[in-house]
């Protein structure tokens, strides 16, 4: 469940940064001499009444080059409408209603997202300034606060939490890892499934899958629940199933669609074939976490370099998924089958990793400083800021001056930096580029 994003918008000087700091609290220790620190202050996680959300001060975003103030405010609002779940529209009760406020309100009235109208700088609730005229904005009753004094901000947070999107009841599903065992015929999928399920301390039951002919197998081991997706053709293999499988990898593909972790099974004696590449490539493209399982390892004549040589072969042939861990197993002798489940646990956890917006932006900034993006068409790519849009797979949204200037190899560089810093083992990473000028 992604954290909801709450954006503060409003024209300059209404008190956005003051409110931001007030709402996130002053507990955050900030090393003042670190360059670029003001950018880091722009997004912080806050918590109120048990709900955690990310607060964004859009006013501090790098839109300074956008020209005049109405245009800058317009950009903030567009960003907020696109990215935020709730928008706090801040106005200045001392200054009263301005035409920029009216333009902003016109934009905000068009979004379906909840907008809270907040009138700042009300220190004297007996004489709340120009509060009444803000009703004209058509965004409901203004909530008076004093960001500087912290007055009424608790009420504001109560209102805010009440309009956050509901937490989904995914918890039950969330602690169950859905696994698809995929691979060519005869690599040992059935044997592997039976080896996993035949382990000691494994509790097994069959459940109907979501498609008519699918059967999923549920099992639990050491407190962790798993579902093996579409094991119909795998566990009780009939001749027909076998014949069908020979000509089709579609069954594998369907299983991938419904899984979180794909066990891509390879045959140690046969190396990596084109069909293996196609099957693994599908899991990659679908954004699934993968573990590469080299089966029938018992049949391989081994010396001290065999592991390494085979790993190198896999890295070369499946170069698009070097993030996937490789496990050498034998379904026959059950060697390292429990290690396999440890890897499943690891990659399932890694595909749900969330990087805080401040850590993410610090990493991107450092990466850009160390190795600036190449220029093209006499223009240089600028990354204004980044935010993690989701998990499974981890997806990062980069706000840039011109997406056309982004080169594949530079994204690869950023991806490597992310992996070096945070791991993301076994999971693909996605980037979405958004234009901001
Ligand atoms: P921003 O440009 O919207 O981020 O506004 P700032 O947070 O930088 O605040 C602009 C000015 O308004 C600063 O001088 C603040 O001290 C002042 N200010 C902010 N909140 C309040 C408030 O609640 N009451 C009063 N009187 N002044 C405030
Ligand atoms: P599937 O078509 O991918 O489900 O493959 P199967 O599980 O039916 O296995 C195909 C053949 O490989 C069978 O004859 C298995 O006994 C054999 N096999 C599977 N795993 C292993 C293993 O780890 N070692 C050895 N030596 N043979 C295996």
């Amino acid at each position: 469940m992604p954290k909801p994003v709450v954006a503060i918008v409003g024209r300059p000087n209404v008190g956005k940064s003051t409110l931001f700091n007030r709402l996130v609290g002053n507990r955050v220790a900030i090393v003042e001499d670190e360059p670029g620190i003001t950018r880091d202050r722009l997004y912080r996680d806050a918590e109120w009444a048990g709900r955690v959300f990310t607060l964004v001060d859009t006013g501090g975003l790098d839109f300074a080059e956008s020209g005049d103030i109405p245009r800058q405010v317009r950009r903030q609002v567009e960003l907020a409408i696109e990215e935020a779940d709730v928008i706090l529209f801040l106005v200045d009760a001392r200054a009263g209603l301005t035409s920029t406020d009216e333009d902003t309100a016109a934009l905000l009235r068009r979004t379906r997202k909840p907008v809270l109208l907040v009138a700042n700088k009300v220190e004297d609730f007996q004489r709340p300034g120009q509060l009444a005229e803000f009703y004209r904005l058509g965004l409901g009753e203004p909530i008076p606060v004093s960001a500087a004094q912290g007055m009424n901000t608790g009420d504001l947070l109560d209102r805010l939490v009440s309009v956050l999107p509901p937490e989904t009841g995914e918890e039950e599903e969330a602690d169950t890892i859905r696994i698809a065992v995929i691979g060519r015929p005869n690599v040992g999928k059935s044997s592997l499934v039976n080896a996993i399920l035949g382990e000691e301390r494994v509790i097994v039951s069959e459940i109907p899958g979501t498609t008519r002919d699918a059967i999923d197998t549920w099992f639990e081991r050491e407190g962790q629940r798993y579902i093996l997706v579409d094991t119909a053709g795998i566990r009780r293999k009939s001749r027909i199933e076998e014949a069908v499988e020979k000509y089709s990898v579609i069954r594998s593909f369907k299983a991938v669609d419904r899984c979180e972790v794909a066990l891509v099974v390879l045959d140690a004696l046969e190396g990596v074939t084109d069909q293996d590449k196609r099957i693994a490539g599908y899991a990659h493209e679908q954004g699934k976490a993968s573990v590469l399982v080299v089966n029938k390892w018992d049949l391989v004549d081994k010396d001290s370099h065999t592991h390494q040589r085979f790993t190198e072969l896999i890295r070369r042939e499946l170069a698009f998924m070097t993030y996937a861990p490789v496990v050498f197993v034998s379904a026959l002798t059950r060697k390292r089958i429990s290690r396999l489940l440890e890897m499943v646990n690891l990659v399932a956890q890694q595909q749900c990793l969330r990087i805080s917006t401040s850590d993410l932006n610090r990493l991107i900034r450092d990466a850009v400083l160390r190795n600036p993006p190449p220029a093209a068409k006499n223009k240089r790519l600028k990354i204004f800021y980044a935010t993690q849009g989701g998990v499974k797979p981890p997806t990062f949204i980069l706000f840039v001056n011109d997406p056309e200037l982004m080169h594949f190899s530079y994204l690869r560089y950023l991806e490597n930096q992310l992996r070096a810093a945070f791991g993301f083992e076994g999971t693909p990473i996605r980037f979405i580029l958004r234009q901001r000028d």
Side-chain angles (χ1 to χ4, degrees):
M1 171 75 185
K3 260 179 271 161
V5 173
V6 177
I8 307 176
V9 303
R11 55 184 184 78
N13 276 318
V14 293
K16 291 185 297 301
S17 7
T18 310
L19 181 67
F20 176 86
N21 288 325
R22 174 66 61 185
L23 297 186
V24 300
N26 300 317
R27 286 157 284 134
V28 218
I30 289 176
V31 188
E32 288 295 346
D33 59 1
E34 199 184 325
I37 199 71
T38 48
R39 291 185 61 180
D40 283 342
R41 285 177 185 264
L42 304 182
Y43 4 78
R44 283 261 184 259
D45 288 348
E47 190 184 337
W48 186 258
R51 290 297 307 269
V52 178
F53 54 91
T54 302
L55 195 65
V56 185
D57 173 8
T58 56
L61 295 178
D62 206 350
F63 293 137
E65 295 160 21
S66 305
D68 53 12
I69 284 164
R71 271 195 70 194
Q72 288 178 33
V73 178
R74 196 186 171 87
R75 293 254 178 269
Q76 293 170 29
V77 173
E78 284 167 355
L79 176 72
I81 287 175
E82 201 173 327
E83 298 303 322
D85 297 292
V86 178
I87 299 164
L88 298 184
F89 175 28
L90 198 58
V91 292
D92 183 333
R94 296 197 165 193
L97 192 59
T98 71
S99 62
T100 308
D101 294 337
E102 288 181 31
D103 295 345
T104 306
L107 282 174
L108 288 174
R109 280 196 302 268
R110 278 190 252 143
T111 176
R112 282 225 183 101
K113 297 184 174 174
V115 177
L116 296 180
L117 175 62
V118 184
N120 190 31
K121 309 195 187 178
V122 180
E123 270 92 47
D124 182 353
F125 280 73
Q126 301 307 311
R127 279 175 294 149
Q130 328 279 340
L131 214 53
E133 60 189 44
F134 292 112
Y135 279 97
R136 268 199 271 146
L137 293 174
L139 291 167
E141 187 181 355
I143 305 165
V145 300
S146 166
Q149 308 289 324
M151 292 163 81
N152 214 31
T153 47
D155 285 18
L156 169 60
L157 283 164
D158 286 341
R159 292 277 300 273
L160 169 58
V161 165
S162 74
V163 296
L164 288 178
E167 284 175 294
T168 51
E170 279 177 335
E171 274 71 50
E172 227 148 6
E173 273 272 312
D175 56 9
T176 303
I177 304 174
R178 305 180 66 92
I179 307 171
V181 180
I182 58 174
R184 290 181 289 117
N186 280 321
V187 291
K189 295 182 296 300
S190 324
S191 312
L192 208 55
V193 164
N194 290 328
I196 292 170
L197 299 180
E199 273 225 304
E200 274 178 77
R201 286 172 290 125
V202 169
I203 312 160
V204 186
S205 74
E206 279 188 357
I207 46 174
T210 48
T211 55
R212 210 156 44 108
D213 55 347
I215 290 182
D216 297 343
T217 305
W218 177 95
F219 71 100
E220 188 175 322
R221 182 180 167 275
E222 288 175 4
Q224 174 65 56
R225 296 152 171 232
Y226 306 87
I227 287 173
L228 283 165
V229 174
D230 192 10
T231 40
I234 289 184
R235 290 189 66 194
R236 296 185 241 97
K237 217 180 330 188
S238 67
R239 259 164 211 273
I240 294 161
E241 294 275 5
E242 228 165 333
V244 168
E245 205 203 352
K246 288 219 164 30
Y247 300 104
S248 164
V249 288
I250 291 178
R251 187 137 209 168
S252 277
F253 287 1
K254 278 193 185 155
V256 169
D257 291 341
R258 294 178 46 226
C259 81
E260 281 145 358
V261 177
L263 295 183
V264 182
V265 186
L266 305 169
D267 185 324
L269 292 183
E270 297 184 28
V272 181
T273 69
D274 284 346
Q275 201 174 356
D276 293 330
K277 288 184 199 171
R278 214 168 299 129
I279 291 169
Y282 187 74
H284 169 77
E285 280 161 19
Q286 295 303 304
K288 307 299 181 170
S290 290
V291 177
L292 297 169
V293 185
V294 183
N295 189 34
K296 309 192 188 180
W297 197 240
D298 58 292
L299 297 179
V300 174
D301 287 331
K302 289 174 271 290
D303 62 35
S304 54
H305 299 295
T306 318
H307 266 106
Q308 197 196 333
R309 269 204 307 275
F310 211 96
T311 306
E312 281 166 10
L313 170 86
I314 289 179
R315 293 306 182 213
R316 198 167 54 242
E317 296 295 322
L318 300 174
F320 54 87
M321 58 189 326
T322 50
Y323 52 79
V326 182
V327 188
F328 298 87
V329 306
S330 167
L332 192 71
T333 68
R334 300 196 176 174
K335 258 242 161 82
R336 273 183 300 279
I337 295 299
S338 53
R339 173 103 182 113
L340 193 55
L341 286 176
E342 282 165 28
M343 283 299 163
V344 167
N345 295 348
L346 171 72
V347 302
Q349 179 245 331
Q350 295 280 299
Q351 78 179 155
C352 293
L353 265 192
R354 275 182 185 284
I355 308 305
S356 78
T357 308
S358 53
D359 286 347
L360 178 64
N361 281 276
R362 191 172 307 121
L363 178 122
I364 301 271
R365 193 181 59 226
D366 291 349
V368 167
L369 280 178
R370 252 198 318 279
N371 176 16
K377 299 188 286 183
N378 292 325
K379 256 176 102 184
R380 189 178 288 282
L381 176 77
K382 267 196 80 169
I383 303 174
F384 296 126
Y385 102 116
T387 178
Q388 182 168 0
V391 294
K392 291 187 192 180
T395 302
F396 298 95
I397 304 168
L398 301 179
F399 292 91
V400 301
N401 57 339
D402 180 359
E404 300 268 307
L405 296 172
M406 179 59 91
H407 194 269
F408 172 76
S409 61
Y410 200 71
L411 272 186
R412 200 25 101 72
Y413 164 70
L414 293 179
E415 176 176 343
N416 290 338
Q417 299 296 308
L418 278 168
R419 291 187 185 283
F422 304 113
F424 294 114
E425 232 174 303
T427 177
I429 289 179
R430 282 192 184 148
F431 290 101
I432 295 172
L433 298 175
R434 294 265 168 81
Q435 177 145 4
R436 287 286 174 274
D437 49 21

